[in-house]
């Protein structure tokens, strides 16, 4: 499962459930999310998994942000050469679609990780499902039922939001609140 968690509202946005968690799956998920408001500014907060810094993601961001620069070739030259240069490109604050990465071993800072923990405890831990399709449907139904009318888990008051945004690389105010997302393989939970 790949899901976005809108920080300002606490709502899960455009969850994707699939058999795999590949670069193509992640790119399709990001494209679906961006397509919900194609002209908006987007900030995605995620961990440093390699699919979050892929060459195809760079190409997507460049195309959607109308960035006309030579990206190079994957593992050979330019922005696409190394994971670090790809991450730097994706984090560029001048891009309308950008990514912010949590420090290694700090996925617990990511609000969607907390949501996945609640989903696991309330639905998956003792759940019995007759089929994969039933599991997928129950998870999708739960994205709305777990937190009806939810408010953000952490950003409930403006003072806390301001403190997190001062000097923090993952608490970013933007025209669109940051989306926090994480991929999870729910079949192994």
């Amino acid at each position: 499962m790949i899901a976005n968690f809108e920080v300002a509202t606490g709502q899960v946005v455009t969850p994707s459930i699939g058999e795999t968690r590949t670069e193509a799956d992640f790119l399709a998920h990001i494209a679906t999310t961006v397509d919900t408001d194609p002209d908006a500014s987007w900030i995605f907060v995620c961990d440093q998994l390699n699919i979050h810094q892929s060459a195809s993601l760079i190409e997507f961001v460049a195309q959607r942000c109308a960035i006309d620069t030579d990206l190079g070739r994957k593992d050979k030259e330019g922005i696409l050469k190394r994971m670090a240069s790809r991450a730097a490109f994706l984090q560029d604050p001048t891009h309308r679609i950008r990514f912010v990465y949590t420090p290694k071993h700090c996925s617990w800072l990511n609000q969607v990780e907390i949501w996945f923990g609640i989903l696991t405890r309330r639905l998956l831990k003792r759940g019995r499902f007759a089929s994969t399709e039933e599991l997928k449907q129950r998870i999708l139904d739960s994205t709305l039922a777990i937190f009806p009318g939810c408010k953000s888990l952490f950003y409930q008051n403006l003072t806390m939001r301001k403190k997190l945004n001062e000097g923090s690389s993952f608490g970013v105010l933007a025209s669109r609140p940051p989306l926090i997302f994480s991929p999870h393989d729910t079949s192994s939970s």
Side-chain angles (χ1 to χ4, degrees), residues 18-184:
E19 299 291 322
T20 59
R21 183 177 59 163
T22 65
E23 177 179 331
D25 297 331
F26 180 67
L27 179 59
H29 176 79
I30 294 298
T32 299
T33 304
V34 170
D35 286 344
T36 64
D37 194 353
D39 297 322
S41 293
W42 292 90
I43 299 171
F44 294 93
V45 179
C46 53
D47 61 21
Q48 297 184 38
L49 188 64
N50 63 344
I51 65 172
H52 303 162
Q53 301 169 15
S54 68
S56 59
L57 187 60
I58 297 286
E59 292 163 353
F60 170 81
V61 170
Q63 185 264 329
R64 291 293 183 99
C65 293
I67 298 169
D68 188 27
T69 187
D70 182 17
L71 301 174
R73 293 184 320 176
K74 185 176 179 181
D75 300 325
K76 302 288 183 202
E77 62 188 12
I79 294 166
L80 297 177
K81 182 176 181 177
R82 295 178 310 130
M83 195 75 77
S85 58
R86 288 183 238 157
F89 176 86
L90 292 168
Q91 293 178 88
D92 187 330
T94 64
H95 296 168
R96 184 178 58 79
I97 301 167
R98 72 183 182 107
F99 292 76
V100 177
Y101 299 100
T102 58
K104 288 187 180 196
H105 309 295
C106 292
S107 63
W108 58 271
L109 292 171
N110 194 333
Q111 288 184 15
V112 79
E113 297 286 350
I114 296 167
W115 180 83
F116 276 121
I118 293 168
L119 178 70
T120 299
R121 287 189 303 276
R122 291 190 182 177
L123 177 68
L124 303 176
K125 193 169 186 178
R126 292 179 190 85
R128 293 179 188 255
F129 309 100
S131 67
T132 305
E133 285 306 312
E134 180 188 354
L135 170 63
K136 287 180 184 180
Q137 191 56 52
R138 294 270 305 274
I139 290 171
L140 290 173
D141 292 344
S142 294
T143 62
L144 299 175
I146 287 179
F147 299 118
C150 176
K151 292 195 171 47
S152 175
L153 295 176
F154 291 131
Y155 297 124
Q156 290 188 16
N157 78 43
L158 188 56
T159 304
M160 177 63 82
R161 187 184 303 180
K162 285 180 182 176
K163 286 182 181 177
L164 285 171
N165 281 295
E166 292 170 5
S168 170
S169 64
F170 57 87
V172 181
L173 288 177
S175 59
R176 169 176 279 289
L179 288 177
I180 297 182
F181 96 102
S182 177
H184 273 284

